[in-house]
């Protein structure tokens, strides 16, 4: 690794992150949803960077940009992350993994000596699930596990996923071609900001992920009776919003009671006919439940549903609970963890192992091949927030570690 200069690579990474961070659907905040014009802008930029790095670039039906560096053998090491964002996002969640992959591939392209395996850098477009409730569509397609029923899902404007793919310039008929042929993908590795405070607290720039938490997403809908805020006595109301409020607090209380084993979040609530002088007749909300333990998560979900049902009966509310996502905990491959730990040591770090509470494309890619993740310290552990930040020095070390990992990788 004598010719790797982490400080110079980190400065390049920061420049690329800032450039990508300016590609947004809105002028005053970062928003790039799956298959939107902003996604197209980001994909074009990533394509240009890949071409400049000497990679052969293609795009699949789900918009995943794939930059290939050929090796002497047929197997490929896949390195990727996502370029879609949450609403009012930070610039690092996702894009840094793509940038890290491009910078590492650039290093090997410049070295001019083929590796014994190829490298594919993948820029996925559907990790955050902001536009469509089924997330990880793009990485699932690469893994050969795309759920074709999700083509009928519609976004907030009524545009189906199939139509969005067409408007983006691709064809849903080509989705099967996005899948890797069995045996070609040797492993999938993702570099990502930690999105939590552990590395900063432990004063370490890098960490090795041992698992990605399992997730359950519920859509909870209450049906009460709309009424006049001034005339209906309190005891005669069937207030759907009051039921929703109790549900939010139930999720919080139950998760707190697990003492860190499970986290539960209501991040979205919809009151379709909201007005200050109307008792809400209909309210829908989402519940995001995660844990590193599938047993604990499943027990939580059962207990939570039971409490919400009892509460809805007590309030005489109609209730429907739909599970929109149910993903088990994804373990990271032990030999990839070992390889990444050796790489972290090689760049002067202490290879802390930590689990990821955030979801990642690795969950989908694990259906294709062994996966691993390298985490990078982020300031204050802040993510899904415009204040998200990783230093150029830490990003440079992460890319240097990734290069070291690739040098030692045996497919
Ligand atoms: C994505 O960032 C998620 O963990 O929800
Ligand atoms: Mn992410
Ligand atoms: Mn995210």
């Amino acid at each position: 690794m004598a010719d790797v200069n982490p400080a110079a690579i980190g400065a390049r990474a920061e420049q690329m992150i800032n450039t990508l961070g300016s590609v947004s659907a809105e002028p005053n905040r970062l928003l790039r949803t799956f298959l939107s014009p902003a996604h197209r802008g980001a994909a074009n930029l990533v394509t240009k960077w890949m071409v400049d790095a000497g990679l052969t670039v293609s795009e699949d039906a789900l918009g995943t940009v794939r930059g290939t560096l050929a090796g002497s053998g047929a197997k490929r090491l896949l390195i990727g992350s996502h370029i879609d964002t949450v609403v009012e996002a930070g610039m690092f969640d996702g894009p840094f993994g793509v940038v890290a992959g491009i910078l590492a591939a650039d290093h090997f392209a410049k070295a001019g000596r083929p590796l014994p395996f190829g490298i594919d850098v993948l820029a996925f477009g559907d990790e955050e699930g902001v536009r469509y409730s089924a997330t990880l569509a793009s990485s699932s397609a690469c893994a050969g596990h795309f759920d074709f029923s999700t083509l009928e899902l519609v976004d907030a404007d009524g545009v189906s996923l199939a139509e969005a793919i067409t408007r983006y310039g691709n064809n849903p008929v080509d989705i099967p071609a996005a899948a890797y042929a069995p045996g070609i993908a040797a492993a999938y590795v993702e570099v990502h900001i930690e999105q939590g405070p552990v590395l900063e607290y432990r004063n370490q720039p890098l960490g090795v992920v041992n698992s990605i938490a399992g997730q359950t997403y519920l859509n909870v809908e209450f049906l009460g009776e709309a009424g006049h805020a001034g005339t209906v006595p309190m005891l005669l109301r069937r207030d759907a919003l009051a039921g929703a409020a109790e549900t939010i607090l139930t999720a919080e209380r139950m998760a707190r009671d697990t003492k860190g084993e499970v986290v539960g979040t209501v991040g979205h609530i919809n009151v379709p006919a909201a007005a200050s002088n109307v008792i809400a007749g209909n309210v829908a909300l989402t519940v995001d439940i995660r844990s590193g333990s599938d047993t604990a998560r499943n027990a939580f979900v059962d207990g939570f549903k039971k409490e919400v049902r009892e509460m809805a009966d007590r309030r005489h509310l109609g209730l429907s609970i739909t599970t929109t996502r149910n993903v088990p905990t994804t373990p990271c491959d032990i030999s990839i963890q070992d390889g990444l730990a050796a790489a972290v040591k090689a760049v002067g770090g202490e290879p802390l192992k930590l689990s990821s509470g955030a979801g990642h494309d690795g969950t989908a890619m694990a259906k294709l091949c062994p996966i691993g993740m390298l985490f990078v310290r982020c300031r204050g552990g802040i993510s899904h927030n415009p204040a998200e930040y990783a230093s150029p020095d830490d990003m440079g070390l992460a890319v240097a570690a990734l290069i070291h990992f690739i040098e030692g990788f045996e497919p």
Side-chain angles (χ1 to χ4, degrees):
M1 283 222 307
D3 51 346
V4 176
N5 178 343
I9 294 179
R12 269 182 84 189
E14 183 173 56
Q15 210 171 37
M16 291 163 84
I17 291 285
N18 287 336
T19 306
L20 202 48
S22 69
V23 182
S24 174
E26 296 181 6
N28 296 321
R29 60 179 188 171
L30 179 52
L31 171 62
R32 262 196 325 261
T33 56
F34 184 35
L35 302 174
S36 63
H39 180 191
R40 171 53 74 203
N44 288 347
L45 197 53
V46 164
T47 300
K48 180 183 175 310
W49 289 337
M50 288 177 172
V51 170
D52 291 348
L55 310 184
T56 306
V57 185
S58 61
E59 179 181 305
D60 69 29
L62 272 300
T64 300
V65 184
R66 187 179 312 206
T68 298
L69 180 68
S72 58
K75 294 245 183 186
R76 312 247 187 100
L77 172 63
L78 317 184
I79 302 170
S81 195
H82 59 99
I83 54 173
D84 66 322
T85 72
V86 290
V87 182
E88 203 159 345
M91 295 189 290
F92 296 77
D93 171 5
F96 179 54
V98 176
V99 165
I102 294 172
L103 292 175
D106 182 54
H107 168 86
F108 290 103
K110 287 211 172 86
R113 223 173 340 103
L115 289 162
F117 49 88
I119 293 178
D120 276 5
V121 182
L122 301 167
F124 300 119
D126 181 37
E127 196 273 346
E128 301 290 7
V130 170
R131 186 168 179 188
Y132 294 100
S133 57
T135 184
L136 304 181
S138 36
S139 41
S140 296
C142 284
H145 283 267
F146 180 78
D147 176 356
F148 285 84
S149 71
T150 60
L151 287 171
E152 288 164 27
L153 292 173
V154 290
D155 68 6
D157 297 320
V159 179
S160 70
L161 175 54
E163 174 62 19
I165 291 170
T166 308
R167 289 188 194 176
Y168 195 74
N170 296 331
N171 190 337
V173 169
D174 296 328
I175 292 172
Y180 278 90
I184 288 291
Y188 170 79
V189 174
E190 178 164 351
V191 182
H192 203 287
I193 57 164
E194 181 201 342
Q195 306 183 274
V198 176
L199 292 172
E200 188 174 75
Y201 178 71
R202 300 285 296 271
N203 203 21
Q204 286 299 316
L206 306 174
V208 176
V209 178
N210 50 23
S211 73
I212 302 171
Q215 300 180 6
T216 302
Y217 274 21
L218 304 176
N219 264 341
V220 179
E221 195 166 351
F222 291 102
L223 195 60
E225 187 166 55
H228 195 295
T231 62
V232 185
M234 297 308 289
L235 285 178
L236 298 183
R237 295 181 179 203
R238 293 170 56 222
D239 184 338
L241 191 49
E246 207 167 329
T247 305
I248 296 169
L249 295 178
T250 299
E252 185 187 49
R253 172 180 48 76
M254 284 184 61
R256 281 187 176 164
D257 287 349
T258 68
K259 308 244 178 305
E261 200 168 29
V262 179
V263 288
T265 308
V266 175
H268 190 272
I269 179 162
N270 184 25
V271 188
S276 60
N277 61 352
V278 178
I279 300 160
N282 174 233
V283 175
L285 55 87
T286 59
V287 194
D288 175 326
I289 299 157
R290 306 190 191 198
S291 174
S293 155
D294 290 338
T295 312
R297 181 173 48 87
N298 290 332
F300 182 96
V301 170
D302 290 346
F304 176 76
K305 284 180 173 171
K306 184 167 173 287
E307 280 212 28
V308 173
R309 268 188 218 112
E310 285 167 5
M311 180 272 295
D313 284 349
R314 184 169 29 88
R315 289 179 171 274
H316 306 292
L317 296 171
L319 171 70
S320 102
I321 303 181
T322 318
T323 303
T324 55
R325 191 186 311 175
N326 202 13
V327 181
T329 301
T330 307
C332 292
D333 180 78
I334 297 290
S335 77
I336 296 178
Q337 286 186 48
D338 290 347
L340 289 171
V344 170
K345 266 194 189 155
V347 299
E350 177 195 318
L352 282 178
K353 295 269 172 91
L354 62 173
S355 71
S356 173
H360 297 287
D361 289 291
T363 293
M365 297 305 278
K367 293 181 180 161
L368 173 73
C369 60
I371 68 142
M373 290 192 75
L374 182 68
F375 268 178
V376 186
R377 168 169 60 189
C378 61
R379 191 167 59 197
I382 293 170
S383 185
H384 284 187
N385 181 322
E388 203 173 73
Y389 178 78
S391 73
D393 283 352
D394 287 358
M395 291 193 287
L397 281 180
V399 178
L402 179 61
I403 290 170
H404 192 277
F405 171 82
I406 294 168
E407 283 172 341
F409 181 70
E410 289 174 19

